[in-house]
């Protein structure tokens, strides 16, 4: 049965109409794709500028002296003393170190508690923790100030650690709870059905399985905590010298940047780029370490 | 036979014990966990109590004037409305910039970037999301401010012939600088989370749409974005929470509420946000008017809490629609 001219014409018409619509949609598609590419380009510009400034203006400060000398103290003897940030590095190290030492066990045990006690009360506890995750860190800073500094009328380095715990514990807890819950429940049930005590099941079975994900979360929380300025700034005072004593005041990397920006000399303001470079190096180090950890664990 | 019996009943007993709350013969475990929870709750209680204890005198000091329109901490005027407006304005401007660009960048990362660069690009975006805010403060003050006050602001003012919002006196610091830097700060957050959501759209959906003859943009607009809606709302909520609470960067960039600029009514105005003002006036925390700062903190917590809650409600409703 050969096709009639009418059918041929109809088919021609439909094909042309479809092509026309397709052409029009393709044109719009190119416009939208252009928008997306433009968004990417706009996003890259400021970030490239920041990286450019960081490296361009900050690298010149990265010398051996930068890490080993204390903050500049120009004097008659040494009017050109440029100093370094050794005091800030030591301060940040001990403050963050103590914060981690307190936060990690606390977060893990709290997460275990939320995981094991499956009642309504603990649901509220988890909700409270999740709310704390979203609170601005300055709120914890002022709380630490009134609860610690105003009461004792002194500044101590470990006050900063306690303030940082408010930031590390909620995030680590929420992440650890998710990690524990991601372990297949069959493992838990198998362990219990073999007659093991719940604590043994937790520490021998569930916790090791969840550990990679927990560790990653802790590294990520750590990378965020290292850069936190506000809560620590209000409670640790300052220290011009290298200090490993938690009882004394301490300088921190972000705190030194803050002081330089607000009250410092022009040199101090330039120095901020170098300090920022060191700070970012630590932040990235922990972040990358955490993600490498996770990738390796998942591969197994 | 009987031994198998007893093992069965024993294992059933123990299994059912585990399903309930922890058994009595694991007392140390249970005890430690209870102590930890009690400790944490005690700290939370002290936190709330102290915060309120400090804030109430602040509210009383300012009276209902806390919602007044004049803020001058040094001279004792505690109308916080300029600060609240400043917080909302900077956050909204930042979102206005960061959300479209962030979602567009996320789409570009998933669909435009060639396969080999994808891992590198995603890693860069995630690293940028954890850059400490003080670094943005440095860059804003030392680089962006100079560029804005010498190039961007004069040109903008000339171009628009002094029309709102580009009117009036400009300095380097101000709402515009703060909002731009804030936008750049939350951009990686929006991009990273959106990218995860967009990349997790099941392939069958996109392939099905393409096989029906849809163009790429139609696939994105009609299939991917609606599917990702709740995830993207979550990303925006996260970004908003961060923007509202941003303290350090804005403290260095906003320039404060001044006599000449008591209200953030134009782009070139200076101003302050709740969080930034707390950081700036922290020296007065122990002084007689320090309590007002706690009142500011409480207001900020309410705003952040409200926004986060609204975001969660939206996400929950969107997910419910799916089912």
């Amino acid at each position: 049965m050969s096709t009639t001219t009418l059918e041929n014409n109809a088919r021609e018409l439909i094909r042309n109409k479809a092509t026309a619509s397709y052409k029009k949609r393709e044109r719009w598609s190119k416009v939208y794709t252009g928008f997306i590419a433009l968004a990417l380009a706009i996003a890259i510009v400021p970030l490239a500028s920041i990286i450019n400034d960081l490296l361009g203006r900050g690298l010149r400060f990265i010398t051996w002296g930068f890490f080993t000398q204390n903050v500049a103290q120009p004097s008659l003897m040494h009017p050109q003393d440029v100093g370094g940030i050794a005091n800030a590095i030591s301060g940040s190290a001990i403050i963050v170190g103590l914060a981690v030492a307190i936060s990690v066990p606390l977060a893990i045990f709290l997460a275990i508690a939320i995981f094991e006690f499956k009642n309504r009360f603990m649901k509220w506890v988890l909700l409270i923790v999740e709310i704390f995750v979203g609170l601005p860190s300055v709120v914890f800073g002022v709380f630490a100030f009134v609860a610690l500094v105003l009461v004792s009328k002194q500044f101590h380095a470990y006050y900063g650690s306690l303030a940082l715990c408010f930031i590390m514990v909620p995030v680590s807890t929420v992440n650890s709870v998710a990690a524990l819950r991601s372990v297949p429940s069959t493992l838990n049930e198998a362990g219990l059905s073999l007659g093991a005590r719940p604590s043994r099941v937790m520490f021998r079975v569930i916790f090791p399985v969840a550990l990679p994900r927990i560790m990653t979360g802790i590294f990520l929380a750590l990378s965020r905590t290292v850069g936190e300025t506000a809560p620590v700034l209000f409670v640790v005072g300052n220290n011009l010298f290298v200090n490993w004593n938690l009882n004394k005041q301490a300088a921190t990397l972000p705190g030194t940047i803050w002081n330089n920006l607000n009250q410092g000399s022009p040199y101090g303001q330039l120095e901020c780029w170098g300090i920022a470079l060191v700070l970012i190096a630590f932040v990235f180090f922990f972040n990358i370490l955490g993600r490498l950890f996770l990738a390796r664990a998942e591969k197994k | 036979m009987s031994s198998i019996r007893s093992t069965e009943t024993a294992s059933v007993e123990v299994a059912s014990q585990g399903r309930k709350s922890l058994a009595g013969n694991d007392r140390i475990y249970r005890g430690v966990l209870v102590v930890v929870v009690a400790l944490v709750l005690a700290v939370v209680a002290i936190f709330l109590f102290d915060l309120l204890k400090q804030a109430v005198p602040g509210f009383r000091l300012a009276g209902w004037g806390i919602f007044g329109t004049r803020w001058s901490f040094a001279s004792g005027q505690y109308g916080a409305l300029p600060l609240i407006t400043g917080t909302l304005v900077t956050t909204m401007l930042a979102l206005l910039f960061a959300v479209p660009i962030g979602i567009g960048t996320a789409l570009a990362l998933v669909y435009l970037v060639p396969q080999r660069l994808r891992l590198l690009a995603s890693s860069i975006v995630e690293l940028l999301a954890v850059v400490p805010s003080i670094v943005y403060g440095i860059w804003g003050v030392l680089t962006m401010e100079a560029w804005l006050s010498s190039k961007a602001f004069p040109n903008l003012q000339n171009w628009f012939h002094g029309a709102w919002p580009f009117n009036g006196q400009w300095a380097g610091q101000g709402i515009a600088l703060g909002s731009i830097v804030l936008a750049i700060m939350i951009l990686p957050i929006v991009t990273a989370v959106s990218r995860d959501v967009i990349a997790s759209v099941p392939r069958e959906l996109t392939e099905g749409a393409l096989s029906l003859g849809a163009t790429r943009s139609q696939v994105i607009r009609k299939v991917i974005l609606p599917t990702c809606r709740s995830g993207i709302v979550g990303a925006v909520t996260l970004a908003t929470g961060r923007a509202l609470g941003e303290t350090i960067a804005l403290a260095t960039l906003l320039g404060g509420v001044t006599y000449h600029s008591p209200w953030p009514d134009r782009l070139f105005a200076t101003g302050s946000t709740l969080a930034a003002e707390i950081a700036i006036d922290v020296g007065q925390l122990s002084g007689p008017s320090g309590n007002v700062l706690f009142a500011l903190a409480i207001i900020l917590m309410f705003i952040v809490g409200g926004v986060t809650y609204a975001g969660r409600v939206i996400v929950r409703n969107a997910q419910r629609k799916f089912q």
Side-chain angles (χ1 to χ4, degrees), chain A residues 99-119:
Chain A
V100 169
I102 300 179
S103 306
V104 170
L106 193 59
I108 289 180
F109 275 104
L110 186 59
I112 294 179
I114 297 178
F115 175 75
E116 290 277 13
F117 298 131
K118 298 180 170 63
N119 51 28

Side-chain angles (χ1 to χ4, degrees), chain B residues 117-166:
Chain B
L117 290 178
R118 219 164 273 181
L119 182 60
L120 180 67
S122 310
S123 304
I124 293 181
V125 168
E126 288 204 29
L127 281 179
L128 286 168
V130 297
V131 169
S133 27
I134 197 164
V135 175
Y136 290 105
I138 301 175
W139 179 74
V141 149
L142 298 182
T143 304
M144 196 66 177
E145 185 183 340
W147 179 72
L148 279 181
S149 55
S150 62
K151 294 265 175 55
F153 284 170
N155 286 336
L156 276 175
Q157 193 161 62
N158 284 338
W159 208 42
F160 281 90
H161 303 291
W164 186 87
F166 300 108

Side-chain angles (χ1 to χ4, degrees), chain B residues 51-70:
Chain B
L51 218 56
L52 286 172
K53 189 177 98 163
Q54 294 290 332
V56 166
F59 277 114
R60 215 170 279 157
L61 187 61
W64 282 113
I66 195 89
F67 294 111
T69 56
R70 283 223 142 265

Side-chain angles (χ1 to χ4, degrees), chain B residues 12 20 56 62 66 82 97 112 121 143 176 186 192 199 226 238 249 257 259 270 275-276 278 286 294-295 307:
Chain B
V12 164
K20 284 185 256 171
V56 166
I66 195 89
F97 177 83
L112 281 188
T143 304
I186 63 178
L238 265 177
V257 181
Y259 178 72
T270 65
I278 296 178
S286 45
F294 284 94
V307 166

Side-chain angles (χ1 to χ4, degrees), chain B residues 255-266:
Chain B
V257 181
T258 63
Y259 178 72
H260 294 286
S261 178
W263 195 257
D265 51 0
R266 51 193 177 87

Side-chain angles (χ1 to χ4, degrees), chain A residues 135-197:
Chain A
L135 286 185
S137 54
V138 63
V139 172
F140 300 129
V142 294
F143 166 67
F145 187 78
V146 290
L148 300 170
V149 177
L150 281 190
V151 167
S152 68
K153 304 274 192 292
Q154 287 175 4
F155 293 112
H156 292 287
Y158 66 86
Y159 287 171
S161 304
L162 295 178
L164 285 181
C165 285
F166 275 97
I167 301 180
M168 263 200 91
V169 168
V171 165
S172 304
T173 305
V174 169
N175 171 66
S176 301
V177 169
L180 288 172
R181 287 184 180 168
S182 74
V183 174
S185 60
T186 50
L187 288 176
N188 191 14
E189 292 160 7
L192 289 173
S193 70
L194 285 174
R197 284 173 305 178

Side-chain angles (χ1 to χ4, degrees), chain A residues 25 49 53 116 146 192 199, chain B residues 14 26 29 139 143 213 218 294:
Chain A
R25 288 185 287 131
S49 166
D53 274 333
E116 290 277 13
V146 290
L192 289 173
S199 63
Chain B
V14 175
D26 216 353
Y29 186 51
W139 179 74
T143 304
Q218 280 182 319
F294 284 94

